[in-house]
Amino acid sequence: MDVMKDRPFAPMLERLRNAGLRPTRQRLALARLLFEGGNRHVTAEQLHAEARREEIAVSLATIYNTLNQFRKAGLLREVVVDSGRSWFDTNLEDHHHFFHEATGALTDFEAEGLAVEGVPRAPRGTEIDRVEVIVRLRDAG
Amino acid sequence: MDVMKDRPFAPMLERLRNAGLRPTRQRLALARLLFEGGNRHVTAEQLHAEARREEIAVSLATIYNTLNQFRKAGLLREVVVDSGRSWFDTNLEDHHHFFHEATGALTDFEAEGLAVEGVPRAPRGTEIDRVEVIVRLRDAG
DNA sequence: AATCAGATTAGAACAAATCTAAACTATTGA
DNA sequence: TCAATAGTTTAGATTTGTTCTAATCTGATT
């Protein structure tokens, strides 16, 4: 038997507490949408729509608050591919992204197998935080 | 003598015409701000502020129109590092970016010397348009 | 010079995200 | 168990970046 299936609240509750976040009804519900059922990418508006569909009462303000708190807590990562909209990614492993401009489709690919070599030294007073690779796609022609 | 200094209008006028854009007063003035004096990164608001400073009468709407037309014409590239604001880059060579989150500073580095290997095959129906590398910086500590 | 497609503009409209301050709730400790 | 309190949620206002609209203007072509 899968522990996640029997006690779906317990681990999530822990994760929130460990992050210093009170496990409120809203946060638990959103955490379940986000983290149960595999890696995913969402925007705030998408998650809000999804919550409404599932009849979870949560305001858009809380969606924004929660996504930002989860990001700060390291439960989510932000992906910048799209000026004008923030994407959040539940995949915390070392990976990169395909982005299909025409459709807005965002897909992961593992960093394993990818080598980025010859990145120059960081400018004075700074250090490298992360090297992001975005592979922009167009329709095959 | 430098041709650019003697006849600063002629080449710009040509470039605009070649792009199918009428060389209007506004477009010429903005092209000069953008393309004379080395590579640079600008946002729409920045360019607008700069134009006002130089007492070039041009509306914000025209700044947006012009930046987008220049981008479509291949005179500029858009850089997405910052959800919520569009950056435009006059550097058309093969290069990548440092982005310092804390300050918003955006800097180029040449692609020469950089090797990105092992990028997976593009998903079905798509092909790779561009591989973008963004090196995110934090304050050294 | 007259015409007309294309360009510019102010201001309205729109979209994403944040802010505000009032109401609510989880935790605590008596 | 319950009151106090610190943290959370919320509706709605606000801010910011960008696009749209439709009236006016301008460059190119006759």
Side-chain angles (χ1 to χ4, degrees):
Chain A
M1 281 265 186
D2 189 345
V3 165
M4 296 299 278
K5 281 203 172 146
D6 284 345
R7 306 173 15 249
F9 285 29
M12 216 52 95
L13 218 133
E14 280 307 289
R15 276 173 96 173
L16 293 181
R17 273 206 233 279
N18 291 342
L21 298 169
R22 284 193 188 169
T24 61
R25 178 179 60 70
Q26 290 87 340
R27 285 184 187 149
L28 275 168
L30 294 176
R32 263 179 269 128
L33 287 183
L34 289 168
F35 304 119
E36 289 179 2
N39 288 326
R40 49 183 313 202
H41 303 109
V42 292
T43 66
E45 295 284 353
Q46 272 177 17
L47 186 59
H48 190 225
E50 190 175 335
R52 297 190 104 260
R53 243 178 282 123
E54 307 272 329
E55 312 206 356
I56 296 163
V58 59
S59 71
L60 188 55
T62 295
I63 299 278
Y64 277 104
N65 290 340
T66 303
L67 286 172
N68 285 318
Q69 291 152 353
F70 283 11
R71 174 175 50 72
K72 281 177 198 147
L75 300 173
L76 286 176
R77 266 175 44 186
E78 192 172 353
V79 185
V80 180
V81 280
D82 200 349
S83 65
R85 184 184 329 278
S86 273
W87 287 89
F88 293 87
D89 189 347
T90 61
N91 184 351
L92 302 177
E93 319 240 307
D94 191 11
H95 72 285
H96 299 287
H97 294 97
F98 283 120
F99 185 64
H100 191 195
E101 313 246 11
T103 61
L106 182 61
T107 339
D108 290 354
F109 65 87
E110 291 177 29
E112 190 178 357
L114 188 85
V116 183
E117 262 152 49
V119 173
R121 182 179 289 103
R124 207 165 198 342
T126 67
E127 60 191 25
I128 293 176
D129 182 18
R130 256 156 45 69
V131 176
E132 250 173 34
V133 178
I134 295 165
V135 179
R136 294 194 179 262
L137 303 171
R138 58 167 174 249
D139 288 315
Chain B
M1 282 263 186
D2 188 346
V3 165
M4 295 299 278
K5 281 203 172 145
D6 285 345
R7 306 172 15 249
F9 287 27
M12 217 51 95
L13 218 133
E14 279 308 290
R15 276 173 97 174
L16 294 181
R17 274 206 233 279
N18 291 342
L21 298 170
R22 283 194 189 168
T24 61
R25 177 178 62 70
Q26 290 88 338
R27 295 212 270 232
L28 276 167
L30 295 177
R32 262 179 269 128
L33 287 183
L34 288 169
F35 303 119
E36 289 178 2
N39 289 328
R40 50 183 312 203
H41 303 110
V42 291
T43 65
E45 296 284 353
Q46 273 177 16
L47 186 58
H48 190 225
E50 189 175 335
R52 295 190 106 261
R53 243 178 282 123
E54 306 271 331
E55 314 206 354
I56 296 163
V58 58
S59 69
L60 187 56
T62 295
I63 299 277
Y64 276 103
N65 290 339
T66 302
L67 286 171
N68 285 319
Q69 289 151 354
F70 283 11
R71 174 176 48 73
K72 281 177 198 148
L75 300 172
L76 287 176
R77 265 176 44 186
E78 193 172 353
V79 186
V80 180
V81 279
D82 199 349
S83 65
R85 183 184 328 279
S86 273
W87 288 89
F88 293 88
D89 188 347
T90 61
N91 185 351
L92 302 178
E93 320 240 306
D94 191 11
H95 73 285
H96 298 287
H97 295 98
F98 283 121
F99 185 63
H100 191 195
E101 313 244 11
T103 62
L106 183 62
T107 338
D108 290 354
F109 66 87
E110 292 177 29
E112 189 178 357
L114 188 85
V116 182
E117 262 152 49
V119 172
R121 182 178 290 101
R124 206 163 200 343
T126 67
E127 60 192 25
I128 293 177
D129 182 18
R130 255 156 47 68
V131 176
E132 251 173 32
V133 178
I134 296 165
V135 179
R136 294 190 178 263
L137 303 172
R138 57 167 176 250
D139 287 315

